[in-house]
Amino acid sequence: MPMRYEDYERYLSPALAKTTDLVIERGEGSYLYDVNGDRYLDFVQGIAVNALGHNNPAVKAAIHEQVEKLINGSFNMVNFPTTLTLAERLAEIAPGDLGCTFFSNGGAEATDGSLKLARAYTGRPCIIAFRGSFHGRTWGAMSVTGSAAKYRHSYQPCMGGVYFATYPQKDLCPKGFDEEQRSEYCLSDLQQIFDYLVSPEEVAAIIMEPVQGEGGYFVPPASFVQGVRKMCDEHGILLIFDEIQSGYGRTGKMWAGQNFGVTPDIMNLGKAIAGGMPMSAVVSTHEIMSRWHPGMHGGTFGGNPVAAAAALAVLDEFERQDILSNVNKMGDYLGKKLKELAADHPVVGDVRGIGLMRAIEFDHEDGTPAPELWQAIKAKALEHHMITLNCGVHGNGMRFATALNVTTDVLDEGVDILDRSMTELGY
């Protein structure tokens, strides 16, 4: 008798929403295989986790080698060669003077750590985040998340001292504004927070995604990101970049912030860092980290030697496969294919993104969001054995988070499935 998710549903909390009822047994490259042996094209890759695809041979070998030696001994108690080496290599590739790392387990945990670090360093109580942002689901991360009210439902009041500014995405700015108008509008909104709500001398940090992820895969104008950096410098406010989804090469640069020529004071990493293993990191300067005295932050599993071994293999493969070049090449190719798709299907109201962080949006004829169309297209694509995921506050966007070593054949397959699905639905 085949294994079915519904037979086990009663043992699992319904809080973790499922986008499919598939029971997956194994993965290889861009594909997942369920317990019945059916193959599915994975256009999400663990929500941007598997940068090198499923079951990458080099990552798998590194994990096996480390498991044979040691699974864990707690980085609180002893040091591990893999974790120490990973910290050194992150320092080599981190932007600016960033080069001191605290390892943790997931993105939300890194977010919470960065907020604590900023408050410890500055001695200030308040944080500014952005509407449209997603930083995680723990208490602190949820409190600086503004991509959808549902994430806060039943948990109010959230952490105090948090203020939200406007991010320059089209859904949050006056209709008809171009990029530079949105930039000016949002920088003015940020200034008004200082003028009307909280003195900048009380703000420890501004936390932002250089490119918004769950909120819709929106790429801001460079002038906006640079303007936020300037305001932070003027007021002694730390700038935290959440690179959990946008980092590790997804935008064509190792770090998304590099697309705008901006270096943060603190950088949060996660998702792709360890090739599928649970790992995250808070990276900052030695000066800022020096205010985090022993015992002010911690965690039992952070810096796990197996995860670190996988992370080292990921960095090796980035060099060996010249991943960044592939992201830029394949990103341009995917962007072109999606524009062609939009030309053939009027329900695609927007195509946006950078590198292999791309999205399309489904709208009605009058331009209003059409999440019901997305739901139908998602279901039809799944019938054709492709796994997809939406984004945006209205749930009408589709994000593309393929493996970073993806090929044109795989991209063609995925876009063809979308094309066929919309055609069959009459869209």
Side-chain angles (χ1 to χ4, degrees):
M1 182 177 178
M3 178 179 287
R4 301 180 306 172
Y5 167 70
E6 55 264 35
D7 294 333
Y8 297 84
E9 198 169 1
R10 64 186 182 276
Y11 304 117
L12 300 169
S13 171
L16 187 62
K18 293 284 187 180
T19 59
T20 77
D21 60 358
L22 298 176
V23 182
I24 297 298
E25 189 170 48
R26 67 184 181 90
E28 183 177 348
S30 292
Y31 300 93
L32 289 170
Y33 297 79
D34 71 8
V35 290
N36 302 312
D38 292 328
R39 189 179 81 164
Y40 291 82
L41 174 60
D42 183 3
F43 249 38
V44 183
Q45 287 294 326
I47 316 181
V49 165
N50 302 300
L52 302 173
H54 294 286
N55 219 20
N56 177 269
V59 174
K60 181 171 65 174
I63 291 171
H64 285 182
E65 181 180 354
Q66 179 58 42
V67 165
E68 290 295 324
K69 300 174 182 177
L70 177 70
I71 294 176
N72 201 8
S74 184
F75 205 46
N76 286 319
M77 307 294 293
V78 295
N79 297 300
F80 312 124
T82 53
T83 310
L84 295 175
T85 303
L86 177 60
E88 180 182 21
R89 291 188 64 178
L90 286 176
E92 292 171 353
I93 62 175
D97 294 329
L98 276 63
C100 191
T101 297
F102 183 96
F103 291 109
S104 46
N105 306 290
E109 191 177 344
T111 297
D112 280 16
S114 68
L115 299 178
K116 290 174 67 177
L117 176 59
R119 291 181 66 170
Y121 179 75
T122 64
R124 300 176 179 182
C126 299
I127 303 291
I128 293 177
F130 290 93
R131 285 189 284 278
S133 64
F134 184 86
H135 298 293
R137 298 173 191 267
T138 55
W139 196 263
M142 175 191 68
S143 297
V144 294
T145 287
S147 61
K150 64 184 179 182
Y151 297 125
R152 297 162 162 258
H153 184 67
S154 299
Y155 302 120
Q156 301 286 5
C158 296
M159 183 178 77
V162 177
Y163 299 84
F164 284 90
T166 304
Y167 195 89
Q169 55 156 284
K170 66 182 184 66
D171 292 346
L172 294 171
C173 297
K175 190 175 181 180
F177 272 23
D178 62 24
E179 274 200 352
E180 287 310 308
Q181 287 174 315
R182 289 199 293 268
S183 177
E184 291 175 10
Y185 175 83
C186 292
L187 289 173
S188 176
D189 180 67
L190 180 55
Q191 181 60 50
Q192 288 183 40
I193 290 178
F194 293 147
D195 292 341
Y196 290 93
L197 299 176
V198 60
S199 166
E201 289 74 26
E202 296 180 288
V203 177
I206 295 177
I207 182 169
M208 68 180 293
E209 297 162 284
V211 177
Q212 280 194 340
E214 198 270 346
Y217 275 34
F218 286 101
V219 183
S223 61
F224 173 74
V225 185
Q226 293 164 4
V228 173
R229 173 75 271 180
K230 182 180 178 182
M231 294 174 81
C232 286
D233 292 340
E234 288 173 349
H235 298 294
I237 298 170
L238 298 183
L239 178 59
I240 302 172
F241 273 176
D242 180 341
E243 292 268 14
I244 292 164
Q245 185 162 177
S246 62
Y248 257 78
R250 184 147 296 277
T251 66
K253 303 282 189 182
M254 193 64 191
W255 316 113
Q258 292 174 319
N259 292 287
F260 314 105
V262 174
T263 299
D265 301 294
I266 302 172
M267 185 169 67
N268 296 335
L269 310 179
K271 289 191 179 292
I273 187 173
M277 296 290 287
M279 190 176 219
S280 64
V282 178
V283 186
S284 190
T285 66
H286 284 277
E287 178 189 348
I288 293 172
M289 280 286 190
S290 68
R291 299 289 181 92
W292 240 359
H293 302 148
M296 290 180 68
H297 194 51
T300 301
F301 293 100
N304 178 274
V306 181
L312 289 172
V314 168
L315 291 177
D316 288 343
E317 288 298 287
F318 264 59
E319 294 179 5
R320 188 183 71 82
Q321 297 186 37
D322 195 6
I323 289 296
L324 294 182
S325 292
N326 192 69
V327 171
N328 286 298
K329 182 179 178 182
M330 292 299 100
D332 289 345
Y333 182 81
L334 177 58
K336 178 175 176 289
K337 296 285 290 187
L338 294 178
K339 288 178 180 177
E340 293 172 354
L341 187 75
D344 292 335
H345 301 278
V347 294
V348 180
D350 193 22
V351 177
R352 57 181 178 262
I354 183 172
L356 283 172
M357 194 172 182
R358 303 272 172 173
I360 57 176
E361 185 175 287
F362 298 98
D363 296 327
H364 296 294
E365 288 186 16
D366 62 359
T368 57
E372 74 281 4
L373 299 185
W374 150 253
Q375 289 290 345
I377 293 166
K378 179 193 78 167
K380 182 61 69 172
L382 189 61
E383 288 180 16
H384 292 303
H385 286 207
M386 183 169 78
I387 299 171
T388 58
L389 186 66
N390 67 346
C391 60
V393 66
H394 304 295
N396 63 318
M398 174 183 171
R399 67 179 104 175
F400 296 81
T402 68
L404 302 186
N405 55 359
V406 70
T407 61
T408 54
D409 289 346
V410 172
L411 293 178
D412 286 343
E413 180 184 357
V415 175
D416 287 348
I417 289 175
L418 274 179
D419 185 17
R420 186 161 75 251
S421 297
M422 285 189 274
T423 300
E424 291 175 2
L425 290 166
Y427 300 155

